[in-house]
Amino acid sequence: MNGGPIEDGFPADRLFNKGYSYTYDDVIFLPHYIDFPTDAVNLSTKLTKNIDLSIPCVASPMDTVTESSMAVAMASLGGIGIVHYNNQPFEQAALIRSAKSRRIPFISDPIFKTPSDSIGSIQDFASSPCIFVTESGNSKSKLLGVVAKSDWERLSDKETSVSKYMSESLVSAPSGYSFEQAAAFLAANKLDYVPLVSEQDGEVVDLFTSADVERIRGFPKLGFPSLGADGKFMVGAAIGTRERDKERLEHLVKTGANVVVLDSSQGNSIYQIEMIKYVKRTYPELDVIGGNVVTAYQAQNLIQAGVDALRVGMGSGSICTTQEVCAVGRGQATAVYKVSSIAEQSGVPVIADGGIANSGHIVKALALGASTVMMGSFLAGSNEAPGSYEYQGGRRIKKYRGMGSLEAMTKGSDVRYLGDTSKLKVAQGVVGAVADKGSVLQFIPYTMQAVKQGFQDLGASSVQSAHNLLKSRVVRLEV
């Protein structure tokens, strides 16, 4: 050795300026020097200029990915869910209200009857140990009684109305209880289940059972949850860039949405720039995420308009066909690096959106400059994703569709592609299915542990450390 510097691999600025558009699978990081244990890796990060997260995970605003259950689970893990807007404004507001009314990392599906109803068969209970009786037969009215499955099974006359035999001596707990508080309440009162009731309006929010206690304690330990200044779970919401979205935005702000995503496949438009300015002018305390963008030029326009974070990706999702249909987009590795390079100069965090199929892709996205990753297919198929399970070829699956699919467009997502006024709809996504993945409360913690191991191999003990190593040309890559 002559004492000169050892050159191996390529620094990012050289690799990504050769005129090639690279996906995550096109590039690989070379290992660096380890001087800390895996558990010393800190994955806390910024979603926006003003919002911090414990883990760099964001659930995508897709109608087969993020509604209340996903938002609650992601917030309890330390990430955040962005509730989709392929619905009416009052429906989206109700989903956010539902998520923010909880402090337990799951949403149950209580069953309700009116006093005059009867219970026809054991199937009426589904998997629930009880049925609640309310004035209107849903959660939106006063709780009158409860029918335990075990009590119903002992009845001789099962045709009679539930008012004749329901139990009126109800024990309930506040819906604001944390998981540990609710578990302690069950144990102290020697109960198998308890309704969690809103202290504001008396509505039944959830059913909490001893089986839930065992299930949740069997999952990896939860980290620091994502809580807003009000102590409630943080929940994001997506909106479009049309005039009518200003009314939707008002609903969402009143409901307590913590951040809003301007959801467009190509964010560098006059519509988005004007909406960014409107939001910042009308609700200066509300953080706005702009996008999607894949170039420095696009990013600069939205940064100048006042965004608090940028969403990066065009045609990189597993069910997105924008690059094939429109011949426009960019390889996701290149897009994340290029946009992060310009956004970092203004202190604007980047969300790498799309193309995440495994923990290695998360490591690459973060190491290339992103602060968080947004996931669709990676979370679809989980217990918390909307929709019911079906069986296909012997496998348990859930439907998963791109917001650019014709199926989603018929529900209103064509606004995202600036095609809501077009008579002819051109699909930029497809409909598919994802195998059952179980609960995100289980597989996200394991995924984050794998990401920590990847960071350790890079010699990066934090997300910011990874960014610094890339910028200083210490970390090297190859194609």
Side-chain angles (χ1 to χ4, degrees):
M1 301 290 289
N2 59 12
I6 301 172
E7 286 289 331
D8 203 353
F10 292 86
D13 58 343
R14 277 180 58 196
L15 189 73
F16 290 106
N17 284 304
K18 291 178 177 288
Y20 294 100
S21 193
Y22 295 124
T23 67
Y24 292 138
D25 287 334
D26 291 328
V27 297
I28 190 76
F29 279 92
L30 303 186
H32 189 47
Y33 179 68
I34 297 173
D35 59 359
F36 53 87
T38 308
D39 288 342
V41 176
N42 181 0
L43 293 180
S44 62
T45 188
K46 283 198 166 294
L47 173 72
T48 66
K49 288 179 179 178
N50 304 302
I51 296 177
D52 297 318
L53 299 178
S54 301
I55 61 170
C57 299
V58 186
S60 180
M62 304 173 74
D63 60 7
T64 51
V65 177
T66 309
E67 290 187 347
S68 298
S69 288
M70 184 65 74
V72 165
M74 292 301 289
S76 68
L77 289 164
I80 194 169
I82 312 296
V83 176
H84 72 87
Y85 71 113
N86 213 16
N87 48 24
Q88 293 300 312
F90 73 89
E91 293 173 316
Q92 187 183 20
L95 291 172
I96 292 168
R97 191 179 300 110
S98 170
K100 291 190 73 68
S101 69
R102 293 163 160 84
R103 282 297 308 275
I104 292 177
F106 66 87
I107 289 180
S108 66
D109 196 13
I111 299 165
F112 298 92
K113 296 276 187 184
T114 67
S116 59
D117 286 338
S118 60
I119 298 173
S121 74
I122 196 77
Q123 274 71 44
D124 285 8
F125 288 88
S127 58
S128 175
C130 66
I131 290 175
F132 295 116
V133 183
T134 62
E135 291 174 339
S136 62
N138 59 42
S139 66
K140 304 296 182 188
S141 61
K142 185 181 177 184
L143 181 61
L144 302 175
V146 63
V147 177
K149 184 191 288 186
S150 56
D151 291 343
W152 180 84
E153 288 175 315
R154 288 194 292 268
L155 281 178
S156 54
D157 179 13
K158 292 184 168 63
E159 302 297 318
T160 189
S161 63
V162 296
S163 61
K164 301 285 177 55
Y165 59 87
M166 69 182 187
S167 172
E168 295 180 21
S169 55
L170 286 168
V171 178
S172 63
S175 62
Y177 268 9
S178 67
F179 170 74
E180 290 301 337
Q181 284 175 313
F185 184 90
L186 277 185
N189 291 278
K190 298 179 180 177
L191 299 171
D192 290 326
Y193 59 84
V194 65
L196 300 178
V197 177
S198 169
E199 294 163 277
Q200 292 178 326
D201 49 30
E203 292 180 6
V204 176
V205 171
D206 264 323
L207 170 64
F208 188 69
T209 72
S210 54
D212 294 324
V213 176
E214 292 177 28
R215 181 169 58 89
I216 299 300
R217 286 193 171 146
F219 291 152
K221 192 174 184 299
L222 294 169
F224 297 105
S226 302
L227 303 177
D230 57 2
K232 296 179 180 179
F233 280 150
M234 285 202 291
V235 182
I239 64 169
T241 55
R242 296 300 195 226
E243 191 63 29
R244 62 180 177 271
D245 286 294
K246 293 177 181 177
E247 183 181 338
R248 181 185 289 269
L249 178 64
E250 186 180 352
H251 278 280
L252 301 176
V253 170
K254 286 178 179 176
T255 308
N258 298 92
V259 61
V260 66
V261 171
L262 302 187
D263 192 29
S264 176
S265 65
Q266 212 282 55
N268 186 29
S269 69
I270 185 64
Y271 315 110
Q272 181 153 150
I273 289 169
E274 288 180 351
M275 183 60 89
I276 293 166
K277 291 177 179 177
Y278 171 81
V279 177
K280 298 308 290 184
R281 184 172 65 250
T282 312
Y283 306 103
E285 300 301 311
L286 182 66
D287 274 18
V288 183
I289 298 170
N292 280 27
V293 297
V294 292
T295 71
Y297 170 71
Q298 288 178 298
Q300 193 61 52
N301 278 350
L302 300 192
I303 290 169
Q304 289 172 353
V307 291
D308 298 293
L310 285 167
R311 191 173 164 204
V312 175
M314 191 172 182
S316 56
S318 64
I319 38 64
C320 185
T321 57
T322 297
Q323 293 181 12
E324 291 83 356
V325 173
C326 300
V328 177
R330 199 172 205 174
Q332 187 67 343
T334 301
V336 170
Y337 173 74
K338 291 286 190 178
V339 174
S340 298
S341 298
I342 194 77
E344 186 265 342
Q345 297 172 20
S346 303
V348 174
V350 160
I351 303 165
D353 174 28
I356 300 296
N358 52 55
S359 57
H361 289 160
I362 298 175
V363 173
K364 289 177 182 179
L366 298 173
L368 286 169
S371 293
T372 55
V373 294
M374 182 171 277
M375 298 173 285
S377 66
F378 197 79
L379 302 175
S382 65
N383 296 348
E384 292 79 7
S388 54
Y389 285 107
E390 302 170 16
Y391 283 91
Q392 190 177 86
R395 290 196 317 158
R396 196 163 180 250
I397 57 100
K398 269 189 183 179
K399 180 183 283 188
Y400 175 56
R401 67 186 182 193
M403 296 306 284
S405 65
L406 288 177
E407 187 178 288
M409 281 187 176
T410 60
K411 292 280 189 94
S413 70
D414 47 358
V415 174
R416 185 174 191 271
Y417 298 84
L418 305 181
D420 52 317
T421 58
S422 302
K423 291 181 180 177
L424 293 175
K425 306 296 183 188
V426 178
Q428 294 184 44
V430 295
V431 178
V434 177
D436 176 12
K437 293 182 176 176
S439 175
V440 297
L441 299 173
Q442 185 163 35
F443 70 77
I444 288 295
Y446 282 107
T447 301
M448 290 301 98
Q449 188 62 25
V451 171
K452 286 184 176 184
Q453 290 176 356
F455 267 52
Q456 183 190 41
D457 286 339
L458 285 173
S461 59
S462 67
V463 175
Q464 188 57 54
S465 170
H467 294 175
N468 293 341
L469 289 171
L470 187 79
K471 194 164 54 174
S472 63
R473 310 180 99 199
V474 172
V475 164
R476 301 293 179 114
L477 304 91
E478 286 180 347
V479 176

